[in-house]
């Protein structure tokens, strides 16, 4: 009989945590015991995923001694406080927060891009899951970078509210209702109204005037794909529930045609689904293509008419799936295939 594993999901009541459970079920991950952990407030709460009922335990007094893999998605402060507790008990931590991402001896993994680097997890027992916007961009551009080196990326993102968790999803719903009923709009999660609006701030401001979300795209592209690539990002929150969209503008070392890029992306091993027809609707959109999918979709591939070696494209993916939960489960699948 094939081996089965004890899995703990930390942040199991959250948007990403619930999706992790769903994807473990969808992919028939060999689970022996599943522990669902959240704050004390959720202790004993029942959650139903795909017709299965689960009871939530409190992280506070959970003993990781029997856990093989702990999937953390309860925020950086929780990872800071509890991840080492899990690794000391020999669990491997796959951390979806930004807390460990930039530590030298913690691998930061997008399986389609740098899956092989997972091997150095043994030093710390921790593997970091990258930022959602970075993951989908890197899956889309890696096959191009393999053929023709990318020098610089100019990227603008259009990011869904689910990236800020369940309370943000509720905030958008409440604001839409308030707006249509002519009531006062209250903002608790976002600094400005998100319904029928576009907010050019994700995460906190840094000293250089960029936001932390923007700098994550810079730091993580360098760590995961190539330190030589320069990234110029603007990250924006939009009133979409699920699915991040990105306008990606690449500057390459040599001239490459849009047709050649499409050919590269059409390769079945590219990890990308190309939706690119020059007709109304011939491109991927968050609410259409990526509601229930784990894939990265690319469209609007064209040559940049303003510079020598430029390619523009539109990249869309489900931020909760490929941008978070699915990528973490892919990492877990690599782990059990080769290491556990
Ligand atoms: P809880 O529901 O008990 O607050 P989201 O990203 O959707 O906002 O979800 C955040 C997740 O992190 C939730 O599962 C939440 O659990 C969990 N969480 C927040 N604070 C803690 C804590 N102190 N200990 C454990 N889990 C926590």
């Amino acid at each position: 009989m094939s081996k089965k594993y004890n899995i703990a999901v930390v942040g199991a009541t959250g948007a990403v945590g619930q999706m992790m459970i769903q994807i473990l079920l969808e992919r028939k991950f060999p689970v022996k015991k599943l522990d669902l952990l959240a704050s004390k407030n959720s202790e004993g709460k029942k959650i139903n995923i795909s017709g299965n009922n689960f009871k939530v335990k409190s992280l506070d007094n959970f003993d990781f001694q029997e856990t093989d893999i702990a999937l953390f998605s309860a925020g950086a402060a929780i990872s800071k406080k509890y991840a080492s507790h899990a690794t000391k008990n020999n669990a491997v931590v796959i951390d979806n927060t930004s807390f460990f991402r930039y530590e030298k001896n913690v691998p930061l993994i997008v399986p389609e891009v740098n899956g092989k680097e997972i091997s150095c997890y043994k030093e710390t027992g921790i593997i970091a899951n990258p930022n959602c916007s970075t993951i989908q961009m890197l899956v889309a551009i890696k096959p191009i970078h393999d053929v023709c080196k990318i020098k610089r990326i100019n990227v603008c993102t259009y990011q869904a509210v689910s990236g800020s968790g369940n309370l943000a999803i509720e905030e958008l719903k409440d604001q839409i209702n308030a707006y249509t009923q002519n009531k006062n709009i209250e903002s608790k999660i976002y600094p400005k109204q998100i319904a029928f609006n576009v907010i050019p701030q994700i995460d906190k401001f840094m000293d250089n005037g960029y936001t932390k979300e923007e700098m994550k795209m810079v730091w993580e592209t360098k760590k995961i794909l190539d330190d030589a690539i320069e990234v110029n990002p603007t990250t924006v929150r939009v009133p979409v529930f699920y699915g991040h969209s990105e306008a990606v503008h690449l500057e390459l070392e040599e001239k490459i045609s849009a047709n050649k890029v499409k050919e590269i992306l059409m390769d079945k091993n590219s990890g990308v689904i190309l939706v690119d027809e020059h007709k109304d609707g011939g491109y991927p959109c968050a609410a259409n293509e990526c509601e229930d999918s784990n894939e990265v979709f690319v469209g609007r591939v064209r040559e940049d008419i303003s510079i020598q070696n430029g390619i523009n494209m539109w990249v869309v993916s489900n931020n909760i799936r490929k941008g978070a939960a699915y990528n973490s489960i892919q990492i877990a699948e690599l782990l059990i295939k080769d290491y556990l």
Side-chain angles (χ1 to χ4, degrees):
M1 210 176 82
S2 61
K3 197 169 167 192
K4 292 194 169 179
Y5 300 85
N6 293 336
I7 308 291
V9 178
V10 179
T13 52
V16 172
Q18 295 205 2
M19 186 58 80
M20 283 171 164
I21 303 160
Q22 188 171 326
I23 294 177
L24 285 168
L25 296 172
E26 281 173 11
R27 309 225 3 124
K28 299 190 172 37
F29 193 92
V31 178
K32 187 155 65 182
K33 183 158 147 277
L34 186 60
D35 287 304
L36 303 190
L37 310 172
S39 76
K40 253 199 151 25
N41 296 339
S42 301
E43 193 168 10
K45 193 173 159 187
K46 288 208 178 83
I47 47 180
N48 185 291
I49 297 190
S50 308
N52 298 276
N53 264 322
F54 299 93
K55 206 166 173 180
V56 179
K57 297 177 188 166
S58 166
L59 171 65
D60 271 357
N61 39 30
F62 183 72
D63 180 355
F64 284 93
Q65 231 165 28
E66 291 186 349
T67 306
D68 297 303
I69 301 174
L71 299 160
F72 272 71
S73 192
I78 300 298
S79 294
K80 180 181 179 186
K81 191 166 169 198
Y82 292 94
S84 59
H85 179 53
T87 54
K88 271 186 205 134
N89 281 292
N90 285 328
V92 180
V93 167
I94 300 175
D95 185 35
N96 190 55
T97 78
S98 60
F99 190 71
F100 296 105
R101 284 184 194 153
Y102 314 116
E103 286 191 13
K104 233 183 163 162
N105 50 2
V106 172
L108 182 63
I109 301 293
V110 182
E112 295 85 342
V113 180
N114 66 338
K116 288 199 181 96
E117 288 174 22
I118 202 173
S119 60
C120 59
Y121 84 89
K122 286 178 185 156
E123 245 182 272
T124 58
I126 299 170
I127 302 164
N129 194 73
N131 168 261
C132 43
S133 311
T134 314
I135 292 178
Q136 68 182 69
M137 181 175 81
L138 295 190
V139 169
I141 67 174
K142 157 83 161 68
I144 303 168
H145 189 61
D146 284 345
V147 173
C148 182
K149 289 276 168 273
I150 296 165
K151 285 195 332 200
R152 180 170 176 269
I153 305 166
N154 207 338
V155 54
C156 297
T157 70
Y158 309 81
Q159 298 184 216
V161 294
S162 51
S164 318
N166 277 335
L167 292 176
I169 296 173
E170 291 311 310
E171 179 152 307
L172 175 56
K173 285 181 189 165
D174 289 346
Q175 290 187 357
I176 292 170
N177 286 336
Y179 184 93
T180 51
Q181 291 162 22
N182 230 356
K183 291 186 181 153
N184 253 353
I185 289 187
E186 271 188 74
S187 301
K188 292 187 198 132
I189 302 293
Y190 295 115
K192 293 206 168 183
Q193 170 188 328
I194 183 64
F196 310 103
N197 207 4
V198 164
I199 305 176
Q201 178 195 348
I202 300 183
D203 213 328
K204 62 182 181 191
F205 275 91
M206 311 289 289
D207 288 344
N208 64 358
Y210 284 69
T211 63
K212 187 156 182 214
E213 182 83 353
E214 289 162 350
M215 292 314 295
K216 285 176 192 168
M217 295 190 80
V218 177
W219 299 326
E220 295 178 23
T221 298
K222 286 177 178 290
K223 178 164 174 174
I224 299 166
L225 184 58
D226 190 336
D227 192 43
I229 298 177
E230 301 302 339
V231 185
N232 181 38
T234 302
T235 58
V236 178
R237 190 72 68 191
V238 295
V240 166
F241 287 108
Y242 294 97
H244 290 352
S245 307
E246 299 175 343
V248 179
H249 313 106
L250 306 175
E251 192 177 339
L252 298 121
E253 272 179 7
E254 283 161 36
K255 176 108 191 123
I256 184 168
S257 70
N259 280 339
K260 177 68 186 169
V261 171
K262 287 189 215 178
E263 201 182 289
I264 294 167
L265 296 178
M266 264 190 295
D267 187 301
K268 65 178 182 347
N269 297 319
S270 73
V272 161
I273 296 181
L274 186 72
V275 182
D276 196 322
E277 290 183 87
H278 296 175
K279 64 174 197 188
D280 293 348
Y283 38 77
C285 284
N288 305 96
E289 269 73 17
C290 58
E291 197 83 325
D292 277 322
S293 68
N294 294 325
E295 282 81 20
V296 173
F297 296 86
V298 176
R300 301 293 324 275
V301 177
R302 62 213 189 276
E303 286 148 37
D304 184 335
I305 50 175
S306 71
I307 55 168
Q308 267 289 316
N309 302 330
I311 288 289
N312 300 330
M313 55 199 217
W314 179 247
V315 180
V316 177
S317 191
N318 184 314
N319 53 303
I320 297 295
R321 282 179 172 268
K322 181 56 187 163
Y326 177 62
N327 200 74
S328 292
I329 306 300
Q330 281 181 300
I331 293 172
E333 288 173 348
L334 286 182
L335 253 185
I336 64 167
K337 181 170 153 278
D338 292 330
Y339 302 98
L340 291 183

